[in-house]
Amino acid sequence: MGSASRAIPLKYSAAEAEAKWRAVWDENGLHRWDPKIDRAHTFVVDTPPPTVSGSLHVGHVFSYTQTDVVVRYQRMLGKNIFYPIGWDDNGLPTERRVQNYFGIRCAPHLPYDPNWKPSSDRQDKDKVVEISRRNFIEACAILTAEDEKAFEKLWRTVGLSVDWSLQYATIDKHCQRISQLSFLDLVAKGEVYNTVAPTMWDVDFRSAISQAEVEDREIGGHFHDISFEVEGGGDFTIATTRPELLPACIAVVAHPDDARYQKFFGKRAYTPLFEAPVPIVAAEHADPEKGSGILMVCTFGDIMDVQWWRKSGLPARQVIGLDGRIVAPVFGNAPFDSRNPARANSNMQLLAGLTVKQAQKKIVELLAHENSSADGKHKALLADPKPIMHPVKFYEKGDRPLEFIPTRQWFQKILDHKEALLAQGRKVEWHPAFMQTRYEHWVQGLNQDWCLSRQRYFGVPFPVWYPIDKSGAPDYGHPLYADKAQLPIDPLTDCPTGYSTEQRDKPGGFTGDPDVMDTWATSCVTPQIASHWQLDPARHHGLFPMDVRPQAHDIIRTWAFYTIVRAWNHEGQIPWKNALISGFIVDKDRKKMSKSKGNVTTPEGLLTEHSADAVRYWASRARLGVDTAFDKKLFEIGNKLCTKLFNAAKFVVGHFDRTNLDLNKLDLAAICEPLDLALVEKLRTVISEATRNFDRFDYAVALQGTEDAFWNFCDHYLELIKVRAYSESDSTGRASALATLGWSIRTFIKLFAPVVPFVTEEIWSWTFAGEGRDCSVHTSSWPTIEEVENVERPANAKAFDAALELTGKIRGAKTAAQKSLRWEVKSVTATGSSEAEEALRTVLADVLSAGNVVQGGFKFVRGEAEPGQMFNVSVILAEQWVAPARDAS
RNA sequence: AGGCACGUAGCUCAGCUGGUUAGAGCGCUUGCUUCACACGCAAGAGGUCCCCGGUUCGAAUCCGGGCGUGCCUACCA
């Protein structure tokens, strides 16, 4: 390549270069996966599908970039890269966004209107329009498609080297098919069941949710001291935060060793206001230290109630409806016993229809005004409620506390398999390793099977129908499952085999399961979705188990966990060999960035303000698993690095063009000067370390080592060899310098390519670009020390350090005298050991020419140097400015 | 309440399989327009390595106990 063909801009323009290379990469299909290459030579990524219904977060840019850096390294190793991208578009977040965006709500009973179109700029958007289920799903699809385009644009801007032909969306037909196949496989293996059970329920979304989606929130509440009358005389006081559950009380329990209550065990108590007889029972979970040591078991206040109720065999008394309002059961009929049904029912009527919060207020009034018993001797509410702050369980996306409500749900067996799942987790390599502990703790702490079903619309339906018996009741005990070949199906529009459409919802006919799956029930099969499990066995086995799963630590309990569960269910395997757990971006006060705190920088803003390379540099500086403070200065540093790379490369190219040498035909055999040999030796270490660290997914450490070496190369090596490189007379020395320069800059460009792919590609295009894989730096081969195996080792290991030390001291003298670094030096006297003299000998000419020391101006004296120094140096500068000679030789 | 991590220069972070005088970048101070780069270069100031014990010839590093921060989990009558 001659100099004429090069058009190197004076300054590097990131915006221009990045736009150019993005387009070129797309055209060349540089990031395409090749299905013909075997597993051993393929690097497979289980890319997280971001939730498109929210805006992306700088944390996403941060962690996705980290993955891309790892991938780009693997690509340079020559691996075939399988790097898909998905969009998580089903689920509650999408429904909520669609409702607000279009001002609509799903009303499943309405018929489909084929002419209805959603509109985001309706005048009367605050007036909610009810639409059919199918129209609602269509609206969801329209908005998510728009969101996905915006996401794709962002990922392209940041330069993710994903294969855009491997795109999927969790709501698309393919994902539905895999999710349903996965479900049917669980059916075949007896791993799922449907049953009516008390399940955590969000009263606003009106859906069941799973343990993994629960979070605690510290909220205000009140302790109420309520007196219960004991059958046959006596009383006790219960302290409760949930007096509205009084009608749902089925028992009271105290610890078996609690002397205060032992006398009551076996007797019955009467609930205030309702006078329902409830057994007084000993139970281990009652803590004598807490409250009054005796507590109500209600159906259902919390998970303890549920667990105790299961063991007790007592009937449930459900008083909270699916909408979070109090229902009015009739006392006097089982299971709502009462000594005084008339009084119980009149009290119940006062509560009926109220929300939990309203009911609590009402019942406190009633308790305050009424006596607990018919004889009037017992006050029910013993004191004013005492305010407390206590943690309460919420759906992570919900606004009101969760209730336990018995509903029919699909569950996947988890509790039976804890040991196996722990073992699977141990087979995965977690990066950083301590993240495995989080997985272990989560699995050990699980107390419920996975509730798979959600009473929502925009999601993957269960491929299930139920027969309807003669009386018109669905027979949930004998579900009709879809054939695998039929998938994907929607049981609300498709028919089970052997039935016809007219039989839908008719006695003797069938009914479709109305629920959709938990969004994680789709996300957890992303490896199978990408590998086409059960659809294309060859492809599946060519990709599975995958190499890496990148994700954040907050979803170890959901995404990582469920993915491990399903891979084990289906094939007894781990889904991936490595879990790369990224840290969070936190603000200056080390708080997690979140919209509600108003401390969010948007990714779009980030990428208009800074170049993609600068953003990528920022992300690459942070190690896996380490939360990092958002610091704008890192972008500046990244920018500087790019500029420096550009300029250093320009410098090297200049020398090759001037001497008519070809960068693509480096003559490494010409490297013979001791300083050059020393540099090559330094870079051998840099290459080995970077490779070792990249192999361990320690891209940040690799970057740090490369960066340090590069700035040293620029500040010291380039200065030291300048005179020799420009020399007209020392052709051997010049050839050695140029070959070293060419190889070094090529090495640096490659080492930096995964982190700053745009500027390195730009440089590559006018330096080393060639045919085949060498058309792009990103498919060129990762540097190895074998490239320079024929370059001899430096004779003196300390030569480089000696050169740096003497150079530094000459520079220091000039700086101290406030003179230019080009200022002429009359004499330099170095004092040191013979060892130091020997180290310096071979590189002395380079040092003296770089320091502009006059001919014959150097003297070495044997003697003692300061501790930690190779030599002491005294420098005498010229009295006047003398222009330096161009050719020092 | 338990677990996991973190606490090093004004800031962001390395170092932590124990070993001369604890590092980098940014910021700050002082110089230098130098033939790749002033988005540069050189030099400089700046640290009770959170605290208290212990092990050791020697501790930022290992052990014990605190304190502080973040996250996860549990309890939550």
Side-chain angles (χ1 to χ4, degrees):
Chain A
M1 196 187 274
S3 55
S5 65
R6 280 195 246 277
I8 304 175
L10 211 58
K11 295 250 175 194
Y12 176 59
S13 159
E16 221 171 283
E18 292 184 358
K20 176 173 75 185
W21 292 114
R22 238 171 251 137
V24 171
W25 292 338
D26 265 359
E27 269 171 48
N28 297 355
L30 209 61
H31 307 141
R32 283 297 180 89
W33 168 62
D34 184 348
K36 294 186 294 293
I37 294 172
D38 63 12
R39 181 68 189 87
H41 297 93
T42 304
F43 185 76
V44 187
V45 185
D46 187 16
T47 317
T51 306
V52 293
S53 55
S55 46
L56 282 175
H57 190 267
V58 284
H60 286 103
V61 175
F62 181 72
S63 56
Y64 278 71
T65 299
Q66 292 171 347
T67 307
D68 188 62
V69 169
V70 167
V71 167
R72 284 182 182 272
Y73 163 71
Q74 294 285 339
R75 187 179 287 114
M76 290 177 76
L77 286 183
K79 293 271 181 67
N80 179 30
I81 302 294
F82 184 84
Y83 189 12
I85 184 89
W87 312 112
D88 190 8
D89 42 16
N90 63 25
L92 278 169
T94 297
E95 289 193 16
R96 188 158 62 170
R97 173 162 152 74
V98 167
Q99 285 173 4
N100 296 336
Y101 191 80
F102 294 124
I104 56 175
R105 202 155 313 272
C106 179
H109 62 277
L110 290 177
Y112 176 60
D113 176 358
N115 297 316
W116 181 84
K117 289 268 179 302
S119 159
S120 61
D121 46 7
R122 251 176 47 221
Q123 295 298 314
D124 52 346
K125 231 171 69 180
D126 46 333
K127 228 174 82 188
V128 172
V129 175
E130 295 206 324
I131 56 165
S132 75
R133 184 176 190 265
R134 192 163 151 201
N135 285 119
F136 185 74
I137 290 171
E138 282 177 6
C140 289
I142 288 168
L143 189 57
T144 52
E146 273 178 35
D147 289 341
E148 279 153 28
K149 283 202 200 91
F151 275 40
E152 177 171 345
K153 184 162 174 273
L154 182 73
W155 289 144
R156 284 185 185 272
T157 306
V158 84
L160 291 195
S161 61
V162 299
D163 183 343
W164 288 99
S165 69
L166 300 173
Q167 246 183 99
Y168 63 86
T170 54
I171 197 66
D172 69 25
K173 292 285 173 216
H174 173 70
C175 293
Q176 297 215 12
R177 199 170 171 195
I178 299 289
S179 305
Q180 292 183 340
L181 279 171
S182 174
F183 178 80
L184 291 181
D185 192 55
L186 297 179
V187 168
K189 292 180 165 135
E191 292 294 332
V192 286
Y193 58 94
N194 92 73
T195 186
V196 175
T199 307
M200 285 184 284
W201 183 267
D202 185 287
V203 297
D204 292 310
F205 286 105
R206 298 198 197 174
S207 177
I209 62 124
S210 68
Q211 192 180 350
E213 296 165 300
V214 177
E215 67 181 25
D216 284 353
R217 292 185 204 160
E218 192 78 18
I219 62 164
H222 290 88
F223 258 125
H224 307 80
D225 288 339
I226 299 173
S227 175
F228 280 56
E229 179 196 352
V230 179
E231 188 178 44
D235 58 46
F236 56 83
T237 304
I238 280 178
T240 179
T241 55
R242 299 209 59 185
E244 71 277 14
L245 288 175
L246 203 52
C249 180
I250 56 165
V252 294
V253 296
H255 196 271
D257 300 336
D258 196 328
R260 290 170 294 178
Y261 305 110
Q262 280 169 340
K263 59 187 177 217
F264 295 142
F265 291 149
K267 293 188 173 171
R268 298 196 301 175
Y270 290 102
T271 59
L273 299 177
F274 304 98
E275 299 190 40
V278 293
I280 304 166
V281 185
E284 297 282 345
H285 77 268
D287 181 351
E289 304 294 318
K290 276 191 187 165
S292 55
I294 187 162
L295 63 143
M296 298 198 285
V297 176
C298 302
T299 53
F300 296 94
D302 59 30
I303 186 74
M304 296 307 296
D305 285 351
V306 174
Q307 285 170 355
W308 189 88
W309 165 77
R310 284 214 173 99
K311 279 187 289 186
S312 74
L314 290 170
R317 295 177 186 168
Q318 189 61 34
V319 298
I320 298 173
L322 298 180
D323 57 358
R325 290 176 185 275
I326 305 294
V327 294
V330 178
F331 277 86
N333 301 321
F336 287 87
D337 299 330
S338 176
R339 187 172 63 178
N340 185 348
R343 180 165 179 253
N345 285 323
S346 85
N347 281 328
M348 201 67 233
Q349 280 308 317
L350 295 170
L351 300 171
L354 301 181
T355 64
V356 165
K357 224 173 163 178
Q358 294 163 339
Q360 184 171 117
K361 204 174 151 204
K362 189 76 195 169
I363 210 161
V364 168
E365 281 172 31
L366 295 173
L367 286 167
H369 288 108
E370 296 199 30
N371 298 322
S372 68
S373 61
D375 63 11
K377 280 184 189 152
H378 298 95
K379 282 300 252 186
L381 190 66
L382 296 175
D384 285 337
K386 292 183 285 291
I388 53 155
M389 290 299 287
H390 64 154
V392 173
K393 290 198 185 307
F394 280 75
Y395 172 44
E396 60 190 356
K397 297 182 174 72
D399 300 318
R400 285 198 274 175
L402 290 168
E403 298 294 344
F404 280 87
I405 299 184
T407 47
R408 178 167 296 278
Q409 306 290 349
W410 281 99
F411 291 89
Q412 174 169 356
K413 291 179 188 171
I414 297 289
L415 300 182
D416 289 353
H417 304 313
K418 279 192 185 185
E419 284 311 313
L421 294 171
L422 285 169
Q424 292 305 99
R426 290 178 197 126
K427 292 178 196 163
V428 173
E429 272 187 55
W430 300 79
H431 307 269
F434 68 79
M435 288 295 179
Q436 197 207 321
T437 313
R438 301 224 180 158
Y439 175 87
E440 299 250 329
H441 288 340
W442 174 252
V443 177
Q444 283 159 359
L446 280 163
N447 55 28
Q448 294 160 59
D449 279 344
W450 180 11
C451 177
L452 288 176
S453 41
R454 297 290 179 276
Q455 288 64 54
R456 301 304 305 176
Y457 317 105
F458 194 60
V460 179
F462 288 82
V464 177
W465 302 265
Y466 306 98
I468 296 185
D469 65 19
K470 296 245 165 50
S471 70
D475 177 5
Y476 293 109
H478 299 89
L480 306 162
Y481 297 106
D483 293 333
K484 284 187 179 183
Q486 284 181 281
L487 303 180
I489 65 113
D490 180 351
L492 298 187
T493 51
D494 298 309
C495 264
T497 312
Y499 290 84
S500 63
T501 314
E502 304 80 63
Q503 290 176 281
R504 182 179 294 277
D505 298 327
K506 299 272 164 57
F510 69 93
T511 188
D513 190 313
D515 292 346
V516 295
M517 296 180 193
D518 177 4
T519 185
W520 293 114
T522 304
S523 315
C524 71
V525 287
T526 49
Q528 290 85 353
I529 285 170
S531 74
H532 294 194
W533 171 73
Q534 290 213 343
L535 304 177
D536 185 345
R539 173 176 162 132
H540 178 68
H541 291 299
L543 296 169
F544 199 88
M546 299 188 156
D547 288 286
V548 293
R549 150 64 69 86
Q551 64 163 80
H553 49 73
D554 55 335
I555 51 174
I556 288 175
R557 67 179 187 169
T558 47
W559 196 33
F561 172 65
Y562 291 143
T563 308
I564 290 172
V565 171
R566 289 290 174 98
W568 179 76
N569 288 144
H570 297 318
E571 296 177 284
Q573 291 211 49
I574 50 171
W576 5 258
K577 295 166 201 157
N578 299 282
L580 313 188
I581 309 295
S582 65
F584 279 142
I585 295 298
V586 292
D587 67 12
K588 286 184 202 73
D589 308 322
R590 303 214 71 82
K591 294 267 185 281
K592 200 171 146 181
M593 282 203 178
S594 72
K595 275 185 221 157
S596 55
K597 296 198 192 85
N599 57 1
V600 171
T601 306
T602 66
E604 294 79 9
L606 208 61
L607 283 155
T608 45
E609 243 179 276
H610 311 283
S611 69
D613 277 342
V615 169
R616 295 174 60 98
Y617 173 84
W618 159 73
S620 308
R621 279 282 301 256
R623 290 169 306 155
L624 284 172
V626 177
D627 289 352
T628 305
F630 186 78
D631 180 5
K632 287 200 161 179
K633 283 172 190 152
L634 269 305
F635 302 107
E636 309 291 328
I637 300 167
N639 253 332
K640 279 189 186 178
L641 173 65
C642 292
T643 305
K644 195 75 172 176
L645 266 169
F646 180 87
N647 285 319
K650 216 168 69 173
F651 172 78
V652 175
V653 167
H655 282 291
F656 275 76
D657 284 354
R658 197 170 40 76
T659 54
N660 278 318
L661 286 171
D662 191 342
L663 272 167
N664 274 323
K665 293 187 185 128
L666 291 178
D667 178 17
L668 298 185
I671 301 176
C672 61
E673 286 286 333
L675 191 74
D676 302 339
L677 299 177
L679 180 79
V680 170
E681 183 63 10
K682 292 250 173 217
L683 291 192
R684 283 188 182 104
T685 313
V686 174
I687 292 168
S688 308
E689 286 296 296
T691 306
R692 192 172 65 90
N693 285 308
F694 261 117
D695 283 338
R696 311 186 330 187
F697 309 105
D698 248 336
Y699 51 81
V701 177
L703 170 62
Q704 190 66 62
T706 305
E707 207 183 342
D708 290 346
F710 176 65
W711 286 93
N712 273 315
F713 168 78
C714 291
D715 293 345
H716 302 123
Y717 178 77
L718 289 188
E719 296 304 324
L720 282 168
I721 54 84
K722 253 180 194 171
V723 172
R724 180 150 54 84
Y726 277 111
S727 170
E728 296 295 330
S729 51
D730 178 11
S731 59
T732 313
R734 190 181 72 188
S736 175
L738 261 61
T740 311
L741 281 178
W743 177 77
S744 314
I745 201 74
R746 188 177 75 191
T747 302
F748 279 121
I749 291 167
K750 288 180 171 193
L751 292 174
F752 280 119
V755 174
V756 283
F758 293 101
V759 71
T760 48
E761 185 77 322
E762 172 72 19
I763 294 167
W764 186 260
S765 73
W766 35 259
T767 50
F768 303 99
E771 298 299 310
R773 294 189 68 86
D774 280 336
C775 72
S776 163
V777 68
H778 302 297
T779 46
S780 75
S781 60
W782 184 251
T784 62
I785 57 171
E786 282 73 33
E787 292 169 29
V788 284
E789 65 187 349
N790 293 323
V791 176
E792 58 180 301
R793 299 298 169 109
N796 191 308
K798 292 224 170 108
F800 204 89
D801 296 335
L804 289 193
E805 190 178 320
L806 185 54
T807 302
K809 284 179 171 162
I810 294 172
R811 284 171 171 180
K814 292 179 183 182
T815 298
Q818 306 200 334
K819 295 287 190 281
S820 156
L821 293 182
R822 293 170 74 199
W823 199 270
E824 189 172 83
V825 176
K826 277 260 161 62
S827 89
V828 175
T829 309
T831 308
S833 63
S834 60
E835 214 179 301
E837 184 179 16
E838 180 54 29
L840 189 57
R841 189 180 56 81
T842 55
V843 294
L844 187 60
D846 284 335
V847 173
L848 297 181
S849 61
N852 197 16
V853 179
V854 296
Q855 286 279 347
F858 179 76
K859 217 176 1 173
F860 197 95
V861 179
R862 294 277 172 83
E864 284 283 310
E866 298 280 322
Q869 306 286 310
M870 289 175 86
F871 18 74
N872 293 348
V873 176
S874 72
V875 177
I876 297 168
L877 302 180
E879 282 107 41
Q880 290 175 7
W881 169 254
V882 183
R886 291 279 160 168
D887 186 350
S889 50

